[in-house]
Each structure stands twice: as structure tokens, then as C-alpha cells.
Amino acid sequence: MISVAGLTKRYGDFTAVAGSDFSVASGEVFGLVGPNGAGKTTTLKILSGLIEPSGGTATVAGYDVEDPEMRSVLGFLPEESPLYEDMTPLSYLRFFADLYDVPRGVATDRIDAALSRLDLNHRERRLGDMSKGMKRKVTIARSLINDPDVLIYDEPASGLDPLTTNEVLQFVGELAAAGKTVLFSAHNLYHVEDVCDRVIVMIDGEIVARGTVAEIRATHGTTEYHVYTTVPVDSATNENAAIDGATIESATNGTEPTTSPERDATNDEESEAIPATPGAHGTVKGDTDRADVPHRARRAGTTRANAARNGHADMDGRSDVSANADGSDDADSTDGTTTERERADGSTDRYETVVPDMAAVETVRERATERGGTVVDIRTVEPSFEEIFLAIARPSAGAGS
């Protein structure tokens, strides 16, 4: 539905877009992300027919972007979209329906359907008296007035409150499900990860990463396996011992016991436990924002933010050993090792080991068995798309400084 080949835009000696190539399929939600100045808005404006490219080709729904007829099949929403503030939503949308030669009866049905879905009830209120969120809903409805095949949205949820943002993003997904093609840019990468089928990352006018979020994560991210055992897997003197080529931290080298999530009723953000069988692993639901945390044990399932709120984290984001009722902590044995401690409620401490692959997980299992213990939980922790983006963007930012 959208095809771009060698797309370039120059302003004098400055290249805003440098030879972009990508395509967007019918019914796809396609994300365009990057820091300020990356060339996102320039790309969207070229595809919307607002500015001419300096080179390359681009088509939308079979039309060249410089063909005026292309706009009949396009709905465009710029990041900043001033309205005629003396108009009401109804008069404003009818005005644009007339510009597109939409029959009055058809326009009335489309306007009512869009405003009802966007939950905008104040249709006769002056636009100048409406909130930013309400105005944004009106502009989204305007982008649909001609029933376009392709929608290009530049920061559709920019500056909106969480509730309105959620409504807008849900609506974007519904539009794609109805067969419309959606290309949009966003700075909130959690939104991109949530709604986009595929994504391209632009830095300094160039596309530096592309694919599904999972594909980009596989290429640029690192998966960690967190193995929880009933005994420490290394000796007290071991520091970052290498096991089968993988770095495994011992319980006495910054690794603390962790409370079993199945028994810790105070942990309200616990992820699902994964059966400790060979090869079993899964994704931690509440812990995917922890890839940058040093490999050090923490209370199971507690994210950095939650740990800080609950008093489990120190200033560098690492979790502290919890204190017992007598004021001692769980790492108080005289030889410096961390010992398994049975609590009054019958629960026991657990030890966390972080490894990069399943082969190392099996090695941890073997070592735990040798020490008379077992593996009680295995979890997969993947970096968020935001962390992936920062890892991609920061080297470029450093090079340009």
C-alpha cells in the first residue's frame, strides 16, 4: 500500500532523509521511530504530498506522492493541527466533508460513527473551548472523513492523558483491523511496541533497524535467563565463575537469596512461575524493563521501580538483603556465604543466577543437584523496546557530539 525506494530529502547541504527504502502492507500498522531530527516528520510529509522529495520514489495506494489524486485516498494527521476555533466539531467536520465532495448524508453517518467511537459527545461546543484531547479526537475524525485507504499519523497521542491515549491507540488498531493501512510516528516506544506490526528506526536521516519488535530485539538485544535455586551454585570465593562459557554469579558475589514468589503474598507484581523442568522457560511479565540492572539477585518479580517503592532497592537500583525481625539479614553467616533460611511461615530463601542461554541453565541445574538443592524457577527476561532503541541511538548520539 505504501512503497518507498531511495527516498531522499535535502535542504541545501543538509540531508534530512538519506535513501530510505521500506514498504507497508494493506491493513498493517507500521511504526516510524527515532530521536528528534531523525527525519521522521520529513518522511511523513513527503508521503502526504506536503513537500517534494529530492530523490527516490514513493507511492501511496498506487499513486505517486506528487500526484494530487493521491490525497483522495489519504488521511493525514500532523503532530500540530490547529483548528478553526470558532467552529464546532460538527461544522468543522462538515466543512472538510464538503472539501472532499462527500455527500451530506454519507458525511453525517461517517461523522457520527467516528465521534461516537472516539467518545466525543460535545459536538456543538466551540472548538476553542475544548481540551487538547477533545481537539485531537476531532482531528482524527477529520482524517477519516473521506474514508481513506491509508492513514498517516504524526504523533497521534502526543501530549494526551493516559486514558485518551489508550482510546486513540485502540482506535488505531481497530482501523487496521478494518483494512486500513496506518503509518505513524511516536516517541513513546511502549505505544509502538503495543500496536505496531513492524517498525523502522531512523537516526540522522537513515534507517538503522527494521522489522517486527521481536526481530529488532533478537538482533540488537540480549536475553537473560534467571535461574532460582534452593542452594547457591558456587563457592564463597568464586567471583563471576565461567560455566560452559557463560558468566554465572554466585550467591556470595552479590547474589542474595530471594523469597519464593509463590509464598510471598506482599509481592503484588509477581510474574508467573515457570516449572523447573529441562528447557522450561518463559517471559517475565512484570520484569522486562530490567535488562540494564546489574546481574545481582533481587526479590523475585520485583521491578526496580517497585523495589524502590517497597524499600528493597538501594540508590543504584540493586536490591538489598532484607532484614529479619531480630535486625540481622539473610547473609549473616560467619563464613560470608548466603545461607538458605526457613521463615516462620514455612517459606525459604532462594538464590538467583543469571545466565545467557539454556545450556548454562542446565549447568546451574546440575550444580544445584550436586549440592543437594533443586531449581525451583526459571524465567526469561528480555529488554524492552525502549532499551533496545536507546542501545541503537546512543552510539550515534555520541558520535555526533
Side-chain angles (χ1 to χ4, degrees):
M1 190 60 72
I2 298 176
S3 179
V4 173
L7 189 65
T8 302
K9 181 61 180 178
R10 301 184 188 89
Y11 295 97
D13 295 332
F14 174 72
T15 300
V17 179
S20 290
D21 296 280
F22 64 89
S23 61
V24 186
S26 178
E28 185 175 24
V29 180
F30 194 90
L32 183 57
V33 301
N36 292 332
K40 306 184 302 298
T41 296
T42 300
T43 298
L44 298 184
K45 286 184 175 180
I46 291 174
L47 294 176
S48 301
L50 297 179
I51 59 177
E52 296 180 358
S54 302
T57 61
T59 61
V60 173
Y63 293 96
D64 186 278
V65 292
E66 297 185 69
D67 184 345
E69 291 297 318
M70 182 269 293
R71 299 178 187 180
S72 65
V73 297
L74 174 71
F76 177 60
L77 179 68
E79 181 177 3
E80 297 294 335
S81 186
L83 305 177
Y84 299 114
E85 297 198 344
D86 287 332
M87 284 185 168
T88 67
L90 287 180
S91 62
Y92 178 80
L93 294 173
R94 286 169 182 160
F95 170 70
F96 274 89
D98 290 341
L99 293 179
Y100 281 104
D101 292 325
V102 178
R104 180 55 62 95
V106 174
T108 298
D109 291 341
R110 289 179 184 173
I111 292 169
D112 181 67
L115 295 183
S116 295
R117 174 57 190 86
L118 291 166
D119 196 26
L120 187 67
N121 297 319
H122 303 288
R123 304 179 183 184
E124 296 291 354
R125 178 182 294 181
R126 181 177 173 272
L127 288 171
D129 297 330
M130 303 185 84
S131 68
K132 182 173 183 178
M134 290 181 178
K135 290 178 179 179
R136 200 60 168 169
K137 290 179 179 181
V138 172
T139 58
I140 291 173
R142 183 195 67 200
S143 73
L144 300 169
I145 198 67
N146 58 324
D147 192 26
D149 297 320
V150 179
L151 297 166
I152 295 180
Y153 289 169
D154 192 1
E155 293 282 345
S158 176
L160 303 183
D161 65 82
L163 181 60
T164 305
T165 294
N166 185 61
E167 292 176 352
V168 169
L169 294 178
Q170 283 187 344
F171 190 45
V172 168
E174 291 172 10
L175 292 171
K180 296 189 183 299
T181 301
V182 184
L183 171 61
F184 81 96
S185 69
H187 284 300
N188 189 316
L189 300 181
Y190 292 103
H191 297 164
V192 172
E193 186 170 7
D194 185 47
V195 302
C196 289
D197 298 303
R198 290 188 299 141
V199 179
I200 57 174
V201 180
M202 294 187 71
I203 305 290
D204 295 332
E206 298 183 354
I207 297 175
V208 297
R210 69 178 70 221
T212 66
V213 171
E215 289 169 345
I216 295 174
R217 179 182 285 117
T219 302
H220 299 277
T222 301
T223 299
E224 295 178 345
Y225 296 88
H226 292 231
V227 187
Y228 296 86
T229 58
T230 57
V231 295
V233 296
D234 292 298
S235 65
T237 57
N238 181 21
E239 293 187 3
N240 295 331
I243 297 182
D244 290 348
T247 298
I248 298 183
E249 295 198 4
S250 69
T252 59
N253 182 38
T255 304
E256 305 160 3
T258 61
T259 302
S260 172
E262 297 83 1
R263 299 178 183 136
D264 188 354
T266 63
N267 188 352
D268 59 0
E269 292 188 13
E270 183 53 56
S271 62
E272 295 178 349
I274 297 167
T277 56
H281 61 283
T283 301
V284 176
K285 291 184 177 179
D287 211 17
T288 54
D289 60 338
R290 296 298 306 277
D292 61 328
V293 179
H295 290 182
R296 180 174 177 175
R298 49 195 174 268
R299 296 229 169 263
T302 303
T303 62
R304 176 181 294 178
N306 193 44
R309 290 196 301 269
N310 294 325
H312 295 157
D314 56 25
M315 291 300 291
D316 65 355
R318 303 176 181 180
S319 55
D320 294 330
V321 181
S322 62
N324 298 309
D326 60 1
S328 63
D329 60 34
D330 287 334
D332 59 356
S333 56
T334 56
D335 63 356
T337 63
T338 308
T339 60
E340 183 175 354
R341 181 185 299 279
E342 184 170 349
R343 304 182 189 278
D345 63 0
S347 65
T348 58
D349 290 328
R350 304 192 305 175
Y351 299 83
E352 179 191 47
T353 304
V354 181
V355 295
D357 53 47
M358 288 304 296
V361 169
E362 293 308 310
T363 303
V364 172
R365 188 192 305 278
E366 293 170 3
R367 293 205 172 183
T369 301
E370 291 171 0
R371 289 160 174 76
T374 60
V375 172
V376 294
D377 198 5
I378 305 169
R379 305 179 186 189
T380 303
V381 177
E382 296 178 326
S384 69
F385 186 51
E386 182 175 23
E387 290 165 335
I388 297 287
F389 171 78
L390 292 174
I392 296 171
R394 278 172 176 163
S396 176
S401 61

